[in-house]
Structure formats: C-alpha cells, structure tokens
C-alpha cells in the first residue's frame, strides 16, 4: 500500500522520481522520501518528510538532490507512526538505502538479531531491518547482488523492494514477493515502480516481475532471476492506456473526472465484446468456451467496492443463469475451510488486480479443486490477471481517486457479460440475450442523462453536510447498490453510513430514524417497488427525511419529508449500474462541502497490497 519508484539514468533523476511519487500518491500519502546517489561526492543523500508528496517537493525545492541513481517512496503506515523518522528510504550507515512496499512479518527476530550485533535502529519500521541486513553482509565482503539475495531469503511476508548501494553507481536491486513491481525500460535508462502509471512520463515499455523475482536494473541492462535463482526473460509489454489518463483535466478532483467518464468507460468495456444481438465469447480468451461449457456454480471473491459488484453479479447469475452463486469477502474466505462445489468457477473481481486478500484467496483456490479461475480486472499485467486461467479486462483506464467509481460500473458491465455467456448454456433464450444486449448498448446514453442531474444532486447534498449518520436502503440487487452508496459516503465524507435491505428496517435500524438521520433510497420501478414504498412510509411515519432516487414511472413525488430525483427508465437488470451514479455524485458533493480530501481520504490507500 506504499508506492515505490527508482531510476537509473544519464540525467538527473530527482524530478522523475518526484513525478513518479505524485502519480503513486494514491497508494499512500502519510509521508514520502527520496534517496539519490550524488556522483560528485559518491554519497547517498536522503530527504524525507511526513505528510504528502507536496511536503517532500517543497523540501527538495529548498535543497535539491543531485544525481542519476535514486529511489523514492510514498508511505501508507503499517509499522510505526507516520512521522519523518519512519518515512522511507531507510538507510544503513549511509551506504545502503531501501524502499519497501509490504510487510515483513518476521522483522522482530531479525531486528533483535541485529541489535545483539550492535546495530542501532532509527525507526519503528519493519523495513529498516532490510537495510541493515544487506549492510551487514556487505561488511562481511559479500557482493551487493548476493547480499540482497541472501537478505530476501531471510524475509517472511510481502515485499516489493528497491535497494541501492553507495558503492554501486550503476545498479538498483529490485525484488518482488507479494507486492507489485514493474521495471520501466527506457533508452539508456531504466526505472522501477509499483505501478506503470508512475513512469508513463518516461516510458511505456514495462517488464512485470513475477513473485519471487530478483532483478538487477542497470543503465543499459536489466537481468532477472526467478525464485529458484534461474535467469528468466520476461516479455517487455507496451502499456496501453492513454497517457492523459492521469491528468485531472478540467475537474477539481479525479473522483469527479472518473464519475463523468462512466458513459465512455461503459462503451470501452463493451467495445469488441458485443455482436449485433449477442455477447462475443472470444472476449474471455481462447480457452473460455471449454471452461464455460462445464460451469455448474460460481464462487465470487473480492473486497470493498469490488465485493459489492460481486454481490450484484450473484443476483444476475442466479436469475439469468440459474446456477448457484456464492460470494464472500476475500479476507474471510481465505482463512476458513470452504466446500468447493463440482465444476465451480472461481471468479475474482478487482480494480487493481493486486489486492493482497483477493490474490491470496485466488492462490488458495487454485489448490482447492475449482474448475478454473476467472478474474474481472482493470489492470492488464496485474497479478490477478497473470495468475488466473481467464480474464476479462474492464478497460476503465487508470482510476486515481481512492474512492472507486468508474471501476465499479465497468466491473458491473463485465459481470453482466459474464452472466450472459454462462446463461446461454443454461436456458437464456436468444431473445432475452438480445434484449439485454440492446439495454447495454443504450446504457452510455442513459448514464449521460443521469450525470446531467449533477447540479440537482449538488443542491441536495447541502442537506447532508451537517449530518453525522445516514442510512441507505435498497431491495434485491439494489441492496448492494445501497451498500456501495454507503461505502462511498463514509470513505470520502467521513459521515457514518449504513446500508440495509429495506425489508430489514423494522427489525432494528428503524429505531435510529429521526430528522437527523437522512435515509437514502434507491427505487427503480421493479417488482419490489410497492414493498419499498411501504418501507419508506415506515420512515416517514417516524419523522425521518427520505432522499429517493426513483424511476420516472415510480409515482413518487416531492413532499414533506421526501425529496425525490427521477432517473430514466432502464431494463431492470441494468438498473444497478444506473442507480449507482447518483449515489457517487451525492457522496462527492457532500465531501466537497465538508472540505475533506476527496481523492485521498484519510487512512486509506488505493491499492491494498497488504492484508
Ligand atoms: C472503494 O472505494 C475502495 N477503493 C476499496 O473498497 C476497493 O474497492 C477495495 O480495496 C478493493 O480493491 P480492488 O478492486 O483493487 O481489489
């Protein structure tokens, strides 16, 4: 959940590293630092600051770091408070500098061993042991690459590492185990980063390291060994998303830009995947047909927003395909004994493709007897994509705002395509499929219509800014939509938000309802509308204030205690995609009114690569 970058070049690298950190700040933003080797004096100079990358930038503006070899880091604290002394890079005796993303689980015994040898520690981090372990071996006369190799053999846990040695002007050692790491290939210069986005300003050619890989990154060459110590040749892949994707454009926040991109994103997920009247199965890869022919049940695993997408997919799969579908959050699933149904497809959903719990669950599943593993993912080349049998990319482009928006809607579209290709093997008629394909094709334009409600939603948001609690209600597949709405509001506005299936209201949460507890309802015109209206009356009868996003035909008006915003009529199965949008806009505007850090809410990080 930290971001690391490194650069070796024939030019000054501090600007490249700083730009890389800014692009990685979504991964963590409680402190930042940079270490650069100055060829003039042969020393490693290091600057670190608590707070955001801007603090580091200001410090470097006062006192620039000179040199053509360097590493840098933006931190999401795990061990040790977010203070300057815990910021990376960590140095050992001025000679070795390390940046790390991950958690070293056995750092305490390693640290105790070093303390017994007289080593003094300057931080509370797990990472600092790595610097001292490498330094200890260098002191014993071990060559730098070998010292790193021996050190990582001592580590338990997860790491992406970049390490430099003051005496090696042409070498960055990079290692990956459990945390993402790529090598950017330039001309006469090379880079490393947690995410290709960080280095798009200097290259679009990347090597994606595998688990256990150890790389020597030099000015003119990159060599990689796998965990068995054998040399491996990884393909150099061109990064495909447009470079301007990391630009905020006309928007004040990435989140708003990403919300507004959703019609185009839905088009991008559908592109090349729809025939005139049916989903094109080839989109899932050459082996998909043989696998899909055998699927009799689905197990979905994901975290956070992606989990909510999976919950909606469960409704679709059971309704359209008619086979059992189970869903669980990855952090629970991976630690319990589970029963694998025969011919079960293991389906992971992830924006980043690097979420530690989801990845660990996939690895467990591969040993557990599933028919095959499919991932719905937004990042090509990510760990989940590489380790799954099948993948369907969501093509949403880089999502920078920590609060997931366009990734969610693109996942939903991809999941609906998946339900359709499975469904045609279990009784969906060609007419039904064609009807849904048409509904999907109409969706981008309908999303535009919903986005045009932005200023009405902004006005509504003023009624939330002074509230401390809120309740989100939905029924059927709109219940996970309500959950996603509640997650958005809590993560960026810090207002406590809970979601309930509306029918559960009278079983407890109704006790909370009063004027200070806004109740947000998603009310499409489906078979559950009348029941939902009854639930809304339960709220009104207790003096509660309702905010309803409703179908034009739902027959709900504005009145005392009820504020209704009408949405276009959509096919009921596509409804969850459409009804997500107003909830995203509402959270956004409430957060802006409250003055929170919309794109980088406190305590969170975009890519959760630690468990
Ligand atoms: C939601 O806004 C968050 N960004 C978070 O819940 C996220 O969806 C979760 O951490 C899973 O991430 P992934 O999709 O990259 O696996």
């Amino acid at each position: 959940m930290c971001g690391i970058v490194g650069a070796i070049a024939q030019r000054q690298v501090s600007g490249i590293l700083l730009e890389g950190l800014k692009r990685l700040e979504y991964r963590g933003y409680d402190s930042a630092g940079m270490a650069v080797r100055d060829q003039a004096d042969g020393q490693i100079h290091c600057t670190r600051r608590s707070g955001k990358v801007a603090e580091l930038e200001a410090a470097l503006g006062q006192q620039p770091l000179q040199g053509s070899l360097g590493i840098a880091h933006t931190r999401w604290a795990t061990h040790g408070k977010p203070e300057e002394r815990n910021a990376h890079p960590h140095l050992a005796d001025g000679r070795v500098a390390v940046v790390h993303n991950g958690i070293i689980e056995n750092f305490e015994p390693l640290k105790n061993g070093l303390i017994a040898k007289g080593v003094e520690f300057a931080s509370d981090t797990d990472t600092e042991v790595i610097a001292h372990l490498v330094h200890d071996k260098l002191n014993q006369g071990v060559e730098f690459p070998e010292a790193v190799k021996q050190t990582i053999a001592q580590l338990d846990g997860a790491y992406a590492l970049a390490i430099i040695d003051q005496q090696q002007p042409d070498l960055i050692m990079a290692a990956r185990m459990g945390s993402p790491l790529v090598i950017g290939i330039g001309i006469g210069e090379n880079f490393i980063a947690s995410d290709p986005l960080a280095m798009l300003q200097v290259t679009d050619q990347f090597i994606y390291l595998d688990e256990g890989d150890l790389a020597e990154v030099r000015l003119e060459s990159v060599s990689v060994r796998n965990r068995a110590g054998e040399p491996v040749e990884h393909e150099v892949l061109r990064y495909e998303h447009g470079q301007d994707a990391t630009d905020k454009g006309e928007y004040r926040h990435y989140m708003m830009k990403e919300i507004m991109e959703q019609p185009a994103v839905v088009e991008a997920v559908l592109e090349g995947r729809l025939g005139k009247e049916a989903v094109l199965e080839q989109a899932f890869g050459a082996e998909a047909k043989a696998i899909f022919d055998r699927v009799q049940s689905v197990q979905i695993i994901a975290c956070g927003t992606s989990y909510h997408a999976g919950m909606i997919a469960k409704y679709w799969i059971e309704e359209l395909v008619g086979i059992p579908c189970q869903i669980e959050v990855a952090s629970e699933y991976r630690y319990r004994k589970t029963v694998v149904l025969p011919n079960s497809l293991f389906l992971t959903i992830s924006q980043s493709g690097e979420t530690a719990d989801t990845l660990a669950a996939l690895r467990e599943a591969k040993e557990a007897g599933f028919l095959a593993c499919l991932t719905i993912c937004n990042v090509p080349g990510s760990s989940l994509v590489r380790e799954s049998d099948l993948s369907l990319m969501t093509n949403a482009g880089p999502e920078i705002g920590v609060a997931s928006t366009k990734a969610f809607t693109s996942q939903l579209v991809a999941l609906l395509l998946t339900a359709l290709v499975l469904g045609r093997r279990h009784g969906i008629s060609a007419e039904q499929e064609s009807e849904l394909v048409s509904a999907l094709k109409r969706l981008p334009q309908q999303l535009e219509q919903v986005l045009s409600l932005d200023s009405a939603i902004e006005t509504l948001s003023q009624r939330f800014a002074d509230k401390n609690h809120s309740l989100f209600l939905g029924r059927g597949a709109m219940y996970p939509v309500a959950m996603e709405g509640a997650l958005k509001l809590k993560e960026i506005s810090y207002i406590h938000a809970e979601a309930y299936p509306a029918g559960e209201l009278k079983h407890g949460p109704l006790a909370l309802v009063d004027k200070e507890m806004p109740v947000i309802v998603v009310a499409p015109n489906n078979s559950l509308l009348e029941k939902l209206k009854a639930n809304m009356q339960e709220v009104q009868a207790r003096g509660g204030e309702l905010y309803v996003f409703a179908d034009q035909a739902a027959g709900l008006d504005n009145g005392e205690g009820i504020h209704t915003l009408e949405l276009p009529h959509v096919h009921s199965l596509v409804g969850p995609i459409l009804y997500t949008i107003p909830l995203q806009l509402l959270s956004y505007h409430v957060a802006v009114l409250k003055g929170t850090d919309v794109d980088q809410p406190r305590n969170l990080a975009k890519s959760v690569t630690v468990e």
Side-chain angles (χ1 to χ4, degrees):
M1 313 242 312
C2 305
I4 70 177
V5 284
I8 181 163
Q10 294 169 46
R11 51 178 166 157
Q12 297 291 326
V13 292
S14 67
I16 298 170
L17 296 174
L18 193 63
E19 175 61 23
L21 289 187
K22 287 181 188 167
R23 289 163 177 252
L24 285 183
E25 205 169 17
Y26 71 88
R27 302 181 67 86
Y29 33 81
D30 61 44
S31 51
M34 186 185 295
V36 176
R37 183 184 182 278
D38 187 340
Q39 46 280 48
D41 63 7
Q43 303 295 313
I44 293 176
H45 297 275
C46 182
T47 303
R48 305 182 299 181
R49 287 292 180 273
S50 64
K52 295 197 164 193
V53 172
E55 305 292 329
L56 178 69
E57 185 175 22
L60 292 172
Q62 300 277 316
Q63 202 162 8
L65 291 176
Q66 306 288 343
S68 53
L69 170 75
I71 55 178
H73 187 272
T74 179
R75 179 167 185 250
W76 185 80
T78 58
H79 295 70
K81 289 187 181 152
E83 295 168 354
E84 193 170 310
R85 66 195 192 88
N86 290 324
H88 300 213
H90 290 286
L91 270 75
D93 200 28
R95 177 169 176 188
V96 175
V98 175
V99 288
H100 168 217
N101 169 30
I103 291 178
I104 306 304
E105 288 168 0
N106 62 337
F107 86 99
E108 276 183 322
L110 293 171
K111 185 170 179 174
N112 291 339
L114 288 160
I115 289 171
K117 283 182 160 183
V119 173
E120 288 184 12
F121 279 77
S123 77
D124 302 324
T125 64
D126 51 342
T127 304
E128 196 184 345
V129 294
I130 301 170
H132 290 296
L133 285 170
V134 173
H135 185 251
D136 186 49
K137 294 177 205 330
L138 293 175
N139 273 348
Q140 293 167 34
V142 180
E143 290 293 315
F144 179 45
E146 180 61 21
V148 173
K149 186 178 166 205
Q150 289 178 14
T151 297
I152 61 174
Q154 292 176 267
L155 306 178
D156 291 337
Y159 52 79
L161 289 169
I163 310 178
I164 57 174
D165 172 5
Q166 173 220 333
Q167 295 183 14
Q168 300 282 341
D170 183 23
L171 180 58
I172 303 175
M173 293 299 296
R176 178 206 161 137
M177 178 66 85
S179 299
L181 196 60
V182 298
I183 299 175
I185 307 296
I187 299 165
E189 55 187 16
N190 287 311
F191 311 94
I192 62 152
S194 300
D195 181 329
L197 281 182
M199 287 299 155
L200 284 181
Q201 80 276 24
V202 280
T203 184
D204 63 354
Q205 308 286 319
F206 293 93
I207 288 173
Y208 292 80
L209 292 182
D210 278 338
E211 293 291 78
D213 279 354
L214 177 63
E216 294 182 25
V217 181
R218 299 178 188 275
L219 206 54
E220 300 282 358
S221 68
V222 172
S223 60
V224 185
R225 289 183 180 269
N226 63 18
R227 71 174 88 189
E230 296 151 348
V232 279
E233 286 287 333
H234 288 305
E235 200 181 343
V236 178
L237 298 170
R238 186 159 184 274
Y239 190 83
E240 282 171 10
H241 293 308
Q243 303 220 356
D244 63 345
T246 54
D247 203 332
K248 252 183 247 166
E250 67 193 82
Y251 297 100
R252 192 169 149 198
H253 298 101
Y254 283 112
M255 184 179 175
M256 192 51 154
K257 176 184 178 235
E258 288 159 4
I259 289 174
M260 290 296 172
E261 278 172 2
Q262 288 175 108
V265 163
V266 168
E267 276 175 6
V269 201
L270 295 176
E271 194 185 321
R273 276 120 184 222
L274 292 183
K276 205 160 164 241
E277 298 190 317
V279 178
L280 303 173
E281 201 159 300
Q282 302 86 308
F284 292 82
E287 294 103 75
K289 185 182 178 308
I291 292 169
F292 288 161
D293 282 348
R294 293 177 57 200
V295 173
Q296 293 297 333
S297 67
V298 180
Q299 171 70 63
I300 303 179
I301 292 298
C303 301
T305 289
S306 299
Y307 170 72
H308 297 152
M311 283 184 74
I312 294 165
K314 176 182 164 72
Y315 285 91
W316 287 337
I317 290 171
E318 297 203 335
E319 181 167 342
L320 281 174
V321 193
I323 60 174
C325 176
Q326 303 184 70
I327 165 134
E328 192 165 2
V329 287
S331 53
E332 286 299 313
Y333 179 84
R334 63 180 286 200
Y335 289 118
R336 71 181 189 88
K337 193 169 181 314
T338 53
V339 178
V340 179
L341 295 172
N343 289 321
S344 190
L345 178 70
F346 189 81
L347 169 52
T348 55
I349 308 166
S350 175
Q351 188 285 129
S352 61
E354 301 293 350
T355 300
D357 284 318
T358 311
L359 194 52
L362 170 67
R363 289 173 184 160
E364 295 276 324
K366 287 172 93 169
E367 306 298 317
F370 281 94
L371 173 64
C373 300
L374 163 67
T375 191
I376 304 276
C377 188
N378 192 36
V379 180
S382 63
S383 301
L384 276 175
V385 172
R386 284 181 296 133
E387 296 187 29
S388 298
D389 305 301
L390 303 175
S391 59
L392 186 66
M393 303 313 300
T394 50
N395 295 346
E399 189 180 63
I400 311 286
V402 165
S404 195
T405 52
K406 63 176 181 172
F408 180 68
T409 39
S410 65
Q411 287 168 347
L412 289 177
V413 173
L415 287 161
L416 195 47
L417 298 180
T418 310
L420 284 171
V421 296
L422 290 175
R424 62 169 77 125
R425 293 162 163 86
H426 294 266
I428 294 188
S429 63
E431 292 73 43
Q432 259 182 306
E433 184 167 349
S434 152
E435 190 191 316
L436 266 161
V437 165
S438 305
L440 281 170
K441 286 180 178 169
R442 283 195 300 274
L443 189 58
Q445 191 239 331
Q446 290 176 314
L447 294 182
E448 293 285 7
Q449 278 176 267
V450 180
L451 288 168
S452 71
L453 296 174
D454 182 44
S455 58
I457 295 172
E458 185 177 5
T459 307
L460 211 60
S461 70
Q462 289 160 9
R463 307 178 73 99
F464 286 74
D466 64 340
K467 298 289 187 285
N468 295 315
H469 306 276
S470 60
L471 206 53
F472 285 71
L473 300 178
R475 273 182 173 263
M478 290 295 160
Y479 166 48
V481 172
M483 291 175 78
E484 175 58 12
L487 176 64
K488 287 288 89 83
L489 189 67
K490 77 181 93 164
E491 74 181 321
I492 61 167
S493 76
Y494 316 146
I495 293 175
H496 170 221
E498 279 196 70
Y500 270 92
E504 275 291 291
L505 199 56
K506 54 189 165 300
H507 297 290
L510 199 53
L512 294 169
V513 170
D514 62 15
K515 274 218 153 337
E516 292 310 305
M517 172 80 128
V519 180
I520 299 101
V521 187
V522 267
N525 190 19
N526 62 17
S527 59
L528 295 168
L529 180 64
E530 290 312 313
K531 297 204 180 303
L532 191 64
K533 283 182 178 173
N535 302 136
M536 284 159 51
Q537 277 167 13
E538 291 161 8
V539 172
Q540 278 186 295
R542 273 97 192 155
E545 201 82 11
L546 286 164
Y547 297 85
V548 191
F549 297 100
D551 189 286
Q552 287 157 347
L556 289 162
D557 291 323
N558 282 305
E560 205 190 321
I562 174 161
H563 312 267
T564 305
L565 263 188
E566 285 185 349
L567 270 61
H569 182 66
V570 268
H571 190 292
S572 66
L573 286 173
V574 175
I577 308 174
L578 195 87
Y579 277 78
T580 295
I581 311 294
L583 304 187
Q584 295 171 346
L585 288 168
L586 181 67
S587 308
Y588 173 79
H589 289 299
V590 174
V592 170
L593 281 175
K594 292 197 74 182
T596 60
D597 191 339
V598 173
D599 285 331
Q600 295 176 340
R602 69 186 181 201
N603 305 338
L604 299 180
K606 181 72 181 163
S607 181
V608 187
T609 53
V610 295
E611 66 165 294

